[in-house]
Each structure stands twice: as C-alpha cells, then as structure tokens.
Amino acid sequence: MHKYLIVVVGPTGIGKTKVSIEIAKHYKTEIISADSRQIFKELKIGTATPSDEELREVKHHNIASYSIHDYYSSWEFEQDALQLSAELFKTHNQIVLTGGSMMYIDAICKGIDEIPTIDPELRDNLMKLYNEEGIESIRRQLKQLDPDFYMQVDLQNHKRVIHAVEVCLMTGKPYSSLRTNTVKKRPFNIIRVGLELDRDEIYNRINLRVDQMVEMGLIEEAKQFYPSKDLNSLNTVGYKELFAHFDGEYDLDKAIELIKRNTRRYAKRQMTWFKKDTETQWFRPDEITNIISHIDSLMLNCDS
RNA sequence: GGUACCAUAGCUCAGUAGGUAGAGCAAUGGACUGAAAAUCCAUGUGUCCCUGGUUCGAUCCCAGGUGGUACCA
C-alpha cells in the first residue's frame, strides 16, 4: 500500500478548511496545515484559523505552534512538515495537507534548496544600506558577488536582491550556485486537489468574511499586537491595515476596505500560482463526493 | 404637470473651440527557491443614454424621447 499526501489548495476564503476536514474524516486521518500565518498561536481571528470545533473534529498540525516572535520560514516548514508526515505515515496511508501559503506547499511537495539561515545582523545591515542608499548599492554588490543571478533576478524587487546578496555573503559562494533547480524525492505520492469558484463568488466570500472578522473582534486582536507591529509575522493582511489606522493614517472604514482589497489581491496571486501546476485537478468546494472519488481513482491507479 | 440641471470605463468624475476620449479608485495579467497573507512587474477594459437633424465628419451643436436629481406647482 502506497502513502499519499493529499494536497488541498485554493485561494483564501474559498473553504479549504471545510473540504479538508471532510477528506480527512473520510480517510480517518489528520491534517497538516500549510499556512504561514495560522502557524502563529497569537493570530486567530485575522488569519481565519479553524474554529475550536473544527479543530476537535479532525486533528490539525502546524496550527498555533509558534509565537509571532519566533523566526519561521518555508525552510522550517519543510522540516516540520516532513518530520510530521513521516510520523503520521506510520499509522496512516493518507494525510491531508491544506493551506494557502504557496511557497510552503512547494516546500513540502518539491523541496527547497539548502541555504543557511541568514544572520539577522547581516540582514539588518543590508536593510539599512537599502534604506539609506537605495537599491542601487545592493545591486552593485550582487553584480560583483553573483553576476549570473544578477542577470536573472528581478532587479526592482529589493527583497530578492537583498536575499541573494546576504546568501552570497553568508556562504562565500554565489547564490546561483546553491540553486539546484531540482525537485526533491519524497517517500510518498502527492495528489493535488484545487478549489475554485467564479471570481465574483470568491470576492463576495472574502468581503463577507472580513466583516465577520471585524464582528468577532479583529480590531481588538490587532490592538493587542500593535506594540509589535514591525514583526514580520505581523506584516499580514488584516493587521497591517489596522496598524496604519491606529497610526492615524486613515479611518476605520478605510482600513476595513483595504483589508478586503488586499485579501482579494492575495487570493488573485494564489490563483496565479496554483493554476501553474498542471497536475492539480480543480473542483468547486461543494463537490466533496467528486473530490473523494477522484482521489480514490488516483490511488487505485497507483496501487495496481 | 412646469422649469432647471445631469446622463462618458465597474465607481466617482474630467474632457473634446466638432476629427470616436482620460484621471483617481476598483479591476485584470504575470513573476516568485529560506521574510511569501511578503515583495515586485505590466495593463485602460468604453454603443461617450436612445432616435433623428445640421455637417465631409457628432460623444460634443439642434430637436424629440428615456432615465435621474433639484426646485416650483
């Protein structure tokens, strides 16, 4: 009997939680979340973390397991998720992986290259340089340290340029030499299920969900973390707009409008990313039966 | 019922001394290998309300309609 990782992807707000619970219940298994913000225990309302009831229905992993003050990235996620899946596959043939964090999904399905974690001081220094002198000085460094990558990177994107430079400085090697461009072998099969709806429907759901978050106390939740607003973990839709509102940049209605807009844009980016994968089979979130039979037929094919 | 004003992009509006049009917001397409709910790039989508008239040519001028708003009855 083979092992299967059932990966459920789709834009934010489309109903991944519900569908993945149904799938997990059907196969009597557990869920690994691939969500870069639900992983923080402090963030509940603004990240639409599954409710206590939902968490009781099916065991979820990688939800509320770190603090917003911890350093966490897709590398840590790859490690965590692989270890977890190995553990779960001892007693299950299927595991459900669900989440909207595109790079986290890739980290477990394809793997990411081994690169050392960047010394925070080094990153701060480069960031300072960027803020003081602009992107040009960072670009110059990259051109010298890794001319190959300089040619392919988006030179307007300071995060990419800075990251390449910090990797070069950290390892003493060109960043491009560490990029293997390979997909890592995994000890399990991957079945990809995508959830989709008409754009209008997704956007309506998002707008509605934001209003519900506000009713549930999103503003109070954000207020609580205002002192830590510069943390990367809080550079998050739903919080950053409220922080700006607390700073007096605009009124509350405007903040809520921006949360809706930025969530919509996030959903669009997710769709662009997920649509690229040609192996994903797409369903409406209410087609549970079809989804299960699709998974069953893929497994049957593989096992025979 | 009368008078006035308005009707242009999804929304709010600008504009054309007559040569089929442009801002803001919203939106759309895309990139993505350790910050990824992050970060970055590109893009104007239009029966200029309808029907006639004048004109080489009308979104613009004229007439009539339709819809809206305000005021007067």
Side-chain angles (χ1 to χ4, degrees):
Chain A
M1 188 74 181
H2 290 92
K3 302 294 180 183
Y4 298 93
L5 186 71
I6 300 164
V7 181
V8 181
V9 300
T12 188
I14 201 165
K16 291 189 293 294
T17 300
K18 220 174 136 195
V19 169
S20 50
I21 286 175
E22 292 301 322
I23 298 173
K25 274 162 70 175
H26 183 265
Y27 296 108
K28 300 188 169 47
T29 186
E30 305 182 3
I31 295 175
I32 299 178
S33 158
D35 190 301
S36 70
R37 303 295 133 133
Q38 290 179 8
I39 197 139
F40 298 117
K41 59 174 179 267
E42 293 92 340
L43 310 183
K44 283 202 175 353
I45 299 171
T47 59
T49 294
S51 67
D52 292 344
E53 197 182 322
E54 288 169 324
L55 293 174
R56 243 178 280 124
E57 259 187 285
V58 171
K59 174 113 176 117
H60 284 67
H61 302 270
N62 279 358
I63 283 185
S65 25
Y66 290 88
S67 154
I68 52 172
H69 299 280
D70 294 331
Y71 176 79
Y72 199 80
S73 74
S74 42
W75 172 255
E76 282 74 24
F77 180 77
E78 182 180 349
Q79 308 309 306
D80 284 353
L82 278 181
Q83 205 179 351
L84 240 151
S85 62
E87 199 56 42
L88 289 170
F89 276 133
K90 286 180 186 166
T91 48
H92 299 83
N93 289 324
Q94 297 87 2
I95 305 174
V96 178
L97 177 82
T98 187
S101 297
M102 304 159 268
M103 205 157 78
Y104 282 26
I105 300 276
D106 269 14
I108 183 153
C109 293
K110 300 178 177 168
I112 49 182
D113 291 323
E114 289 206 29
I115 284 161
T117 298
I118 305 300
D119 177 6
E121 203 178 321
L122 175 60
R123 175 164 289 180
D124 284 353
N125 287 340
L126 284 169
M127 205 52 209
K128 211 183 285 166
L129 189 66
Y130 168 68
N131 286 328
E132 283 166 7
E133 296 182 25
I135 198 165
E136 197 46 49
S137 61
I138 313 275
R139 276 187 200 152
R140 265 199 303 272
Q141 285 196 53
L142 181 63
K143 196 171 186 177
Q144 205 179 25
L145 291 164
D146 189 348
D148 285 347
F149 193 69
Y150 182 85
M151 293 305 288
Q152 40 176 299
V153 73
D154 175 0
L155 290 168
Q156 314 269 21
N157 192 329
H158 71 275
K159 284 200 177 187
R160 298 273 157 69
V161 179
I162 288 175
H163 184 240
V165 169
E166 60 192 15
V167 171
C168 294
L169 293 175
M170 198 75 195
T171 60
K173 291 179 198 160
Y175 176 51
S176 53
S177 73
L178 301 167
R179 286 156 59 91
T180 61
N181 236 325
T182 53
V183 175
K184 288 183 192 165
K185 270 258 176 251
R186 297 302 193 205
F188 45 78
N189 296 303
I190 294 170
I191 294 176
R192 288 169 166 272
V193 170
L195 300 181
E196 67 176 348
L197 282 173
D198 288 344
R199 198 61 70 89
D200 285 356
E201 276 185 86
I202 296 172
Y203 285 1
N204 282 338
R205 290 178 66 121
I206 286 172
N207 296 158
L208 204 73
R209 192 176 72 170
V210 171
D211 288 332
Q212 286 167 352
M213 285 177 178
V214 171
E215 275 169 42
M216 287 166 68
L218 177 62
I219 295 153
E220 291 68 29
E221 186 174 77
K223 214 168 266 168
Q224 228 182 302
F225 305 125
Y226 181 66
S228 315
K229 68 190 172 92
D230 293 326
L231 289 173
N232 178 253
S233 52
L234 289 170
N235 186 185
T236 298
V237 175
Y239 298 93
K240 59 180 176 183
E241 297 85 357
L242 287 170
F243 296 152
H245 160 62
F246 299 151
D247 283 335
E249 277 183 44
Y250 36 69
D251 62 27
L252 183 61
D253 284 349
K254 173 84 176 169
I256 292 168
E257 210 34 65
L258 286 175
I259 292 172
K260 290 177 181 173
R261 184 198 68 182
N262 291 340
T263 307
R264 274 181 252 136
R265 290 181 175 175
Y266 171 49
K268 205 165 83 62
R269 268 178 277 134
Q270 289 175 303
M271 288 185 266
T272 301
W273 179 290
F274 292 135
K275 284 284 178 187
K276 261 194 313 191
D277 186 279
T278 49
E279 280 167 40
T280 303
Q281 186 71 231
W282 294 90
F283 297 91
R284 293 177 51 95
D286 56 10
E287 293 183 283
I288 301 285
T289 321
N290 292 341
I291 293 171
I292 302 269
S293 58
H294 172 250
I295 295 170
D296 279 341
S297 73
L298 283 183
M299 291 195 297
L300 200 68
N301 243 317
C302 227
D303 286 336
S304 60

